[in-house]
Amino acid sequence: MSLVTTHVLDTAEGKPAAGIGVRLESAGVILAEARTDEDGRVRDLGPARLEPGIYRLVFDTEGHLGAHGFFPEIVVSFRVLDGEAHHHIPVLLSPFAYSTYRGS
């Protein structure tokens, strides 16, 4: 099981957001890249172990929302304390808003 996973839901459409590009970064270095599947999920992103530190998930929302979206990308910074713990970071997306939280 990957240590970093995500799930993007398009709340305006009421369905998963498929095909969104997602990058995992640390200190400006891209560690992994993927696209959300038909269920809006990336089930395997990143290395098998993360060093404690600050990481970023960058979501290419322009590819999904196009010119109708206010946010062309979403950047979620998060802190890893336990490099072997699972970190699930869901995003709820609409053309003019988004929210995120630490999932399970």
Side-chain angles (χ1 to χ4, degrees), residues 18-46:
I20 291 184
V22 182
R23 290 190 318 266
L24 174 64
E25 301 177 350
S26 177
V29 175
I30 297 172
L31 302 176
E33 295 181 280
R35 290 202 168 273
T36 56
D37 64 16
E38 291 117 16
D39 195 32
R41 296 180 183 274
V42 173
R43 300 171 198 273
D44 186 14
L45 186 64

Side-chain angles (χ1 to χ4, degrees), residues 81-96:
L81 297 174
D82 178 354
E84 295 182 9
H86 176 223
H87 295 80
H88 183 63
I89 298 133
V91 172
L92 303 175
L93 174 65
S94 72
F96 297 100

Side-chain angles (χ1 to χ4, degrees), residues 1-88:
M1 178 170 180
S2 177
L3 295 176
V4 179
T5 58
T6 189
H7 187 194
V8 183
L9 295 174
D10 184 329
T11 58
E13 295 290 325
K15 61 183 183 181
I20 291 184
V22 182
R23 290 190 318 266
L24 174 64
E25 301 177 350
S26 177
V29 175
I30 297 172
L31 302 176
E33 295 181 280
R35 290 202 168 273
T36 56
D37 64 16
E38 291 117 16
D39 195 32
R41 296 180 183 274
V42 173
R43 300 171 198 273
D44 186 14
L45 186 64
R49 185 180 193 313
L50 298 174
E51 294 299 319
I54 306 293
Y55 292 83
R56 297 169 18 125
L57 281 182
V58 181
F59 298 84
D60 175 19
T61 54
E62 180 143 41
H64 179 73
L65 297 173
H68 301 292
F70 184 71
F71 301 102
E73 71 177 14
I74 296 171
V75 178
V76 178
S77 296
F78 62 100
R79 182 181 313 273
V80 169
L81 297 174
D82 178 354
E84 295 182 9
H86 176 223
H87 295 80
H88 183 63

